[in-house]
Amino acid sequence: MSENSSNAPAILLVRPQLGQNIGATARAMLNYGLTDLRIIKPRDGWPNPDADPMAAGAFEAGVTVRAFDSLKDAVEDLSFLAAATARPRGMEKDVEDAEATVRIARSFGSKAGILFGSESSGLLNDEVTVADIIMTYPVNPNFASLNLAQAVMVFAAAWGAQTKEIPNEFDEREPPASRADLIGMFEHFEVELQRAGFFYPPEKTELMTRNLRNAFTRAGWSAQEVRTFRGAIKALALGRGKARIERED
Amino acid sequence: MSENSSNAPAILLVRPQLGQNIGATARAMLNYGLTDLRIIKPRDGWPNPDADPMAAGAFEAGVTVRAFDSLKDAVEDLSFLAAATARPRGMEKDVEDAEATVRIARSFGSKAGILFGSESSGLLNDEVTVADIIMTYPVNPNFASLNLAQAVMVFAAAWGAQTKEIPNEFDEREPPASRADLIGMFEHFEVELQRAGFFYPPEKTELMTRNLRNAFTRAGWSAQEVRTFRGAIKALALGRGKARIERED
């Protein structure tokens, strides 16, 4: 049996019933870079065409699926196993949430595996016994109702949160404004507000000015935004005929 | 409009298309105690019977749904909004992952809302603009393919991870063994191993003993497990006829 070449844990579905859930599991996995999917005794055999629509292309894009006749065969190359269960088992095992399970699994790389049971009954106690720890989620005790692929998704997202970065394209912000730019903008704004009679009664000028400066400072303006806002002040002032002299520059 | 009475954020689906996804969203939410679902301009109207099977009872069990004709009406009682987007928008907003968004949302309680766009196109730029921050997930850049309810699930699970505890029923472990119990067990085991000729060559006895003790200590035995293992040692020794005298006690 070839080993998982990535550094991410395997996901093992034990006795899954619906092909749709196998597909949805693959989709959830690949979003977070998990590619080693193992299915043990799938009810409807494998391959299963029901899996394809829900996979949204995940099988072609990188998730490999291997089917096994026994859990023992499926885990023989793994060194760490967590068993996902929604109910207590009264077993002498550590019980961890998804985040702690990810922290442990990371140190085992591709030698870690997470076991999920069938849709109808979860993992059998004998199957939980082979795992090193139990993984469970802090779900609502009055409504613990994750389906199989959702349960895998919660683990996959926790894996991604600890191991992946938000892509750089999201970090395309303008450089921040210098403090001098900001102060210049405030002064420009305040002069025009003064001319417009905004500061009334006069004794409140200082408080109102401070409140405005605080609000604008909190926004974290970029240099471009400062230029835009100064243009807006100028336009408003011009519109009221109060700054015609500036029109000439 | 009545306010959300819980302390958890609202989930807002803007122009959702499939009733099934509204149901699956409600199911994902209630697992983690989110109960305030707002839908803006649902394509197929509301109520929508397609939502019920995928909700798995979440509407009856606590999720309230309100439909709105405009985003403005839907957010009027909210003080903090995060816009979930899968692609960069080049906007001057902070971009946070689910965990950071949860940390911020917690300080707003039920005055926080998370916006999710339609299945086909996500949120429009004008809709993102009303939000305070952008929330995105560190998904695989080669396979960013979360469906609507999965995207809500990732936020809901991050919410649960920071705000919920694993139920007490999972913490039903036996009390740990006392150090004296453990040492007594080691000594019993070592005596029988000595008799069985396990320690060979003799000069390795100390090293082998230390390795065994370390392995057993690491396992974190309960008092019951110590008793069970001592029974096992005794049985093995008896089976070899080496401890017949103990049979009499």
Side-chain angles (χ1 to χ4, degrees):
Chain A
M1 189 174 69
S2 73
E3 289 185 12
N4 183 9
S5 60
S6 85
N7 216 15
I11 299 295
L12 297 94
L13 305 184
V14 185
R15 296 169 290 101
Q17 298 175 313
L18 295 170
Q20 287 88 338
N21 286 333
I22 299 172
T25 294
R27 177 179 183 172
M29 289 172 61
L30 193 56
N31 270 285
Y32 291 100
L34 303 176
T35 57
D36 182 355
L37 176 57
R38 308 181 186 193
I39 52 179
I40 294 95
K41 293 188 192 161
R43 185 190 67 187
D44 300 335
W46 190 259
N48 180 344
D50 289 346
D52 292 331
M54 296 294 281
F59 299 129
E60 294 75 17
V63 171
T64 62
V65 189
R66 284 173 289 172
F68 296 86
D69 291 330
S70 79
L71 181 56
K72 185 164 168 288
D73 291 344
V75 302
E76 66 174 20
D77 62 324
L78 301 177
S79 307
F80 169 78
L81 289 174
T85 84
R87 53 180 202 280
R89 302 300 182 119
M91 288 190 199
E92 292 298 311
K93 292 185 191 296
D94 282 335
V95 177
E96 305 289 356
D97 60 16
E99 290 70 28
T101 303
V102 167
R103 284 194 290 277
I104 300 168
R106 288 182 74 174
S107 65
F108 289 91
S110 62
K111 300 287 187 188
I114 317 295
L115 305 176
F116 293 85
S118 78
E119 292 91 332
S120 58
S121 54
L123 292 167
L124 303 174
N125 281 340
D126 280 353
E127 294 159 350
V128 175
T129 298
V130 308
D132 298 280
I133 69 165
I134 285 173
M135 176 177 76
T136 199
Y137 303 147
V139 288
N140 183 346
N142 300 316
F143 191 84
S145 172
L146 292 170
N147 82 11
L148 178 54
Q150 286 174 326
V152 174
M153 171 62 83
V154 171
F155 174 80
W159 173 261
Q162 285 186 38
T163 61
K164 312 286 179 201
E165 301 282 335
I166 292 174
N168 281 337
E169 309 92 84
F170 279 90
D171 199 17
E172 279 179 351
R173 298 182 66 168
E174 296 273 336
S178 71
R179 204 50 33 172
D181 283 346
L182 269 182
I183 292 172
M185 182 186 83
F186 293 146
E187 288 173 351
H188 184 181
F189 191 40
E190 287 154 15
V191 162
E192 294 299 342
L193 288 172
Q194 185 79 51
R195 286 184 185 168
F198 172 78
F199 295 111
Y200 186 86
E203 60 270 28
K204 288 220 170 157
T205 299
E206 189 182 329
L207 176 64
M208 293 165 89
T209 302
R210 196 188 317 135
N211 287 348
L212 280 172
R213 287 195 176 202
N214 279 340
F216 283 124
T217 309
R218 204 166 49 227
W221 292 58
S222 72
Q224 178 57 53
E225 288 168 328
V226 165
R227 288 192 293 275
T228 302
F229 192 72
R230 291 192 73 146
I233 300 168
K234 195 185 272 190
L236 286 171
L238 279 170
R240 283 198 314 274
K242 293 223 164 117
R244 293 212 177 273
I245 196 163
E246 294 192 51
R247 190 177 251 169
E248 291 159 20
D249 65 25
Chain B
M1 189 174 68
S2 74
E3 289 185 13
N4 182 11
S5 60
S6 86
N7 215 16
I11 299 295
L12 297 94
L13 305 184
V14 186
R15 295 170 291 98
Q17 299 176 312
L18 295 171
Q20 287 88 340
N21 286 333
I22 299 172
T25 293
R27 177 179 181 172
M29 288 171 61
L30 193 55
N31 270 284
Y32 290 100
L34 303 176
T35 57
D36 182 354
L37 176 58
R38 309 182 186 193
I39 52 180
I40 295 95
K41 293 187 193 163
R43 185 190 66 186
D44 300 335
W46 190 260
N48 180 344
D50 289 345
D52 292 330
M54 295 295 280
F59 299 129
E60 294 74 17
V63 171
T64 61
V65 188
R66 284 174 288 173
F68 296 88
D69 291 329
S70 79
L71 181 56
K72 184 163 169 289
D73 290 343
V75 302
E76 67 175 18
D77 62 324
L78 302 177
S79 307
F80 169 78
L81 290 174
T85 84
R87 53 180 203 278
R89 302 298 181 120
M91 288 189 196
E92 293 298 312
K93 290 185 193 296
D94 282 334
V95 177
E96 304 289 356
D97 61 16
E99 289 72 27
T101 302
V102 167
R103 283 193 291 276
I104 300 167
R106 288 182 73 175
S107 65
F108 289 90
S110 62
K111 299 288 187 188
I114 317 293
L115 305 176
F116 294 85
S118 78
E119 291 90 332
S120 57
S121 54
L123 292 167
L124 303 174
N125 280 341
D126 279 354
E127 294 159 351
V128 176
T129 297
V130 307
D132 298 279
I133 68 165
I134 285 174
M135 175 177 77
T136 197
Y137 303 148
V139 289
N140 183 348
N142 301 315
F143 190 84
S145 173
L146 293 170
N147 81 13
L148 177 54
Q150 286 174 325
V152 174
M153 170 62 83
V154 171
F155 174 80
W159 173 263
Q162 285 185 40
T163 60
K164 312 287 180 201
E165 301 281 334
I166 291 175
N168 281 337
E169 309 91 85
F170 279 91
D171 199 18
E172 279 179 351
R173 300 183 66 171
E174 295 273 335
S178 72
R179 204 51 31 171
D181 284 345
L182 268 183
I183 292 171
M185 183 186 81
F186 293 146
E187 288 172 350
H188 184 181
F189 191 40
E190 287 153 14
V191 163
E192 294 300 340
L193 288 172
Q194 185 78 51
R195 286 184 186 168
F198 173 76
F199 296 112
Y200 187 86
E203 60 269 27
K204 289 222 169 152
T205 300
E206 191 183 328
L207 176 65
M208 293 166 87
T209 301
R210 197 188 317 134
N211 287 348
L212 280 171
R213 287 194 176 201
N214 278 340
F216 283 123
T217 309
R218 204 167 48 229
W221 293 57
S222 72
Q224 178 58 51
E225 288 168 327
V226 165
R227 288 193 292 275
T228 302
F229 193 71
R230 290 192 73 146
I233 301 168
K234 195 185 271 190
L236 286 171
L238 280 169
R240 284 199 311 275
K242 293 223 167 114
R244 293 214 176 272
I245 197 163
E246 295 190 49
R247 191 177 249 168
E248 291 158 20
D249 64 28

